[in-house]
Amino acid sequence: MAVTVIGIDGGALPQGAAQALESARLVVGGKRHLDAHAPEHARRFELGPLEPALNALSALSGDEHGVVLASGDPGFFGAVRALRERGIRCSVLPSTSSVQQLMARVGRSWDDVVVVSATGPDLARAVNVCRARPAVVVLTTAPKAGPAQIGSGLTGWRRTMVVAEDLGGPNESVVTVDPAEAARRTWREPNIVLSLADLDDVPHRGWIAGGEPVPPAAGWALPEDEFSHRDGVITTAEVRAVALSKLAPRPGALVWDVGAGSGSVAVECARLGAAVIAVESDEAHAVRLVTNAASHGVDVRVEEGEVPQVLRELPRPDAIFVGAGGSDVVAACAHAGAARVVVALAALDRIAQTREALRTAGYEVEGVQLAAARLAELPDGTSHLEAADPVVLVTGRKKQ
């Protein structure tokens, strides 16, 4: 049994498609593709849920041929994966993918563009990538994971959205809108979204598709002098290294840095691919935070205000770092719904109330004291150890 998967992009079918359709016993596809291309002699199977179509293809006998009609390049977030998972052998005749078509309409190079799929369960992760990266294409594959939902999720971030409807079809439309406008509108399906931090930016020439990979080449837990800070008010590199391991920042995640100060933790999380919101009540610290994020080439959304009030309208995080604030701040963060909360404490008498706040909110709690001593040179050229002030990290992980 063999199946040919044919990509359709609105133009002529790829070479070999006519012969595959002529020999087909069964043709699977969406209604518009079947109406346009399925031959009369073949049995038609209109796609709805994927499983019945896979069953029908699997039921073909050894000498019967099946065809799957799919949009664009079926090997790129497409039908080929599902067929291979079922053990169905297939040959592929691809057409131009929707990503290629969109970038061609915009007239922009796209070797720096990250491509993500926004199925229902993956919508939050896709939006977080749009929040973190300057150029992202979102393949919208579910009715409630489209341009309106993406636009709603990008409220508060400086982004421009290019939305293409029915690419290559008779009702093709490509429009440029801000996230608020995208959230208000009703969009035709199928559609695809390009999220840009700067509509007119010409990206740097890269060496790998999708932009620079993470972790960054310079590593993480950067020295304190890599950040502008006031009077030594900064989370030290050693503490940051352990905190990052507990927070697990990564593409698709959203991290809050509460009481962010100079923003060293926020910037490090963003450098590791996470979307980041830094919360800071001190205006001077907030200005430094913006400077630090810009100097490291990352996008950190800064919210000035007092906790807990400022947290109420923020999107739900995956992880939270609390660098400053009292028990009320910890309690507010503990009830924000993050999978991980990490609290840095210099005062030992705050450990008990921090543990209690996290446990009350349903977290399993652990802690570690970090006491680092760095090599420092003496006037005579010899070295000694200079101890930094110890810090306790209290970590809460949501119970499964």
Side-chain angles (χ1 to χ4, degrees):
M1 183 271 294
V3 170
T4 301
V5 187
I6 300 174
I8 298 172
D9 61 10
L13 293 181
Q15 186 176 1
Q19 296 91 323
L21 286 166
E22 181 62 28
S23 64
R25 170 75 172 172
L26 171 69
V27 180
V28 174
K31 184 177 186 304
R32 63 186 181 120
H33 292 335
L34 292 173
D35 289 345
H37 302 292
E40 291 186 3
H41 68 266
R43 182 163 66 94
R44 296 164 47 132
F45 194 106
E46 185 175 333
L47 274 176
L50 191 57
E51 193 64 23
L54 295 174
N55 291 338
L57 290 166
S58 298
L60 292 172
S61 64
D63 59 348
E64 292 180 323
H65 190 77
V67 167
V68 177
L69 301 174
S71 296
D73 181 353
F76 187 65
F77 290 94
V80 172
R81 176 178 289 102
L83 293 168
R84 293 295 300 272
E85 287 174 345
R86 178 57 77 89
I88 298 173
R89 292 186 297 110
C90 59
S91 58
V92 182
L93 305 177
S95 290
T96 306
S97 72
S98 58
V99 178
Q100 291 172 293
Q101 291 187 67
L102 174 58
M103 300 312 298
R105 303 294 194 277
V106 174
R108 184 188 188 280
S109 62
W110 63 284
D111 44 30
D112 68 312
V113 175
V114 179
V115 181
V116 296
S117 177
T119 59
D122 291 327
L123 175 62
R125 292 197 299 178
V127 170
N128 281 335
V129 175
C130 293
R131 292 164 173 168
R133 302 297 291 260
V136 182
V137 165
V138 185
L139 303 175
T140 54
T141 57
K144 293 185 179 180
Q149 290 75 22
I150 295 166
S152 179
L154 290 177
T155 301
W157 275 265
R158 293 184 298 275
R159 293 292 183 270
T160 299
M161 293 172 58
V162 180
V163 182
E165 302 167 294
D166 193 29
L167 268 178
N171 298 310
E172 178 177 310
S173 170
V174 180
V175 296
T176 301
V177 294
D178 61 32
E181 173 67 16
R184 288 192 295 266
R185 290 180 58 165
T186 300
W187 301 93
R188 291 194 305 271
E189 296 180 16
N191 52 60
I192 182 174
V193 173
L194 170 63
S195 167
L196 292 171
D198 185 343
L199 183 64
D200 299 317
D201 180 52
V202 178
H204 296 295
R205 185 180 300 277
W207 64 277
I208 185 170
E212 281 295 313
V214 294
W220 55 95
L222 299 174
E224 289 85 69
D225 59 13
E226 291 279 338
F227 302 92
S228 170
H229 55 91
R230 181 179 65 193
D231 302 327
V233 181
I234 184 172
T235 304
T236 62
E238 292 81 7
V239 173
R240 247 181 291 128
V242 177
L244 290 169
S245 74
K246 305 294 186 183
L247 293 166
R250 63 203 181 278
L254 173 63
V255 180
W256 290 357
D257 183 0
V258 179
S262 61
S264 61
V265 173
V267 169
E268 295 259 35
C269 288
R271 292 177 70 246
L272 291 169
V276 182
I277 300 175
V279 178
E280 179 52 55
S281 60
D282 184 291
E283 183 179 356
H285 276 319
V287 171
R288 285 187 178 86
L289 206 161
V290 172
T291 301
N292 285 326
S295 68
H296 287 282
V298 294
D299 193 342
V300 174
R301 174 178 164 184
V302 179
E303 291 289 334
E304 278 190 61
E306 299 290 340
V307 177
Q309 293 84 352
V310 71
L311 304 181
R312 290 173 182 158
E313 301 302 320
L314 299 183
R316 179 175 173 172
D318 297 288
I320 303 173
F321 179 76
V322 183
S327 57
D328 57 333
V329 173
V330 175
C333 291
H335 288 90
R340 301 163 180 248
V341 178
V342 179
V343 185
L345 300 172
L348 294 179
D349 58 0
R350 290 184 53 203
I351 294 175
Q353 60 192 18
T354 298
R355 290 175 65 196
E356 183 58 28
L358 292 172
R359 285 174 172 171
T360 300
Y363 289 89
E364 296 176 339
V365 181
E366 61 182 29
V368 60
Q369 182 192 48
L370 304 176
R374 297 178 180 176
L375 279 176
E377 285 197 11
L378 293 168
D380 63 1
T382 60
S383 300
H384 73 137
L385 290 173
E386 286 186 356
D389 292 336
V391 174
V392 175
L393 286 183
V394 178
T395 301
R397 298 174 186 266
K398 269 292 185 185
K399 296 177 181 178
Q400 297 299 318

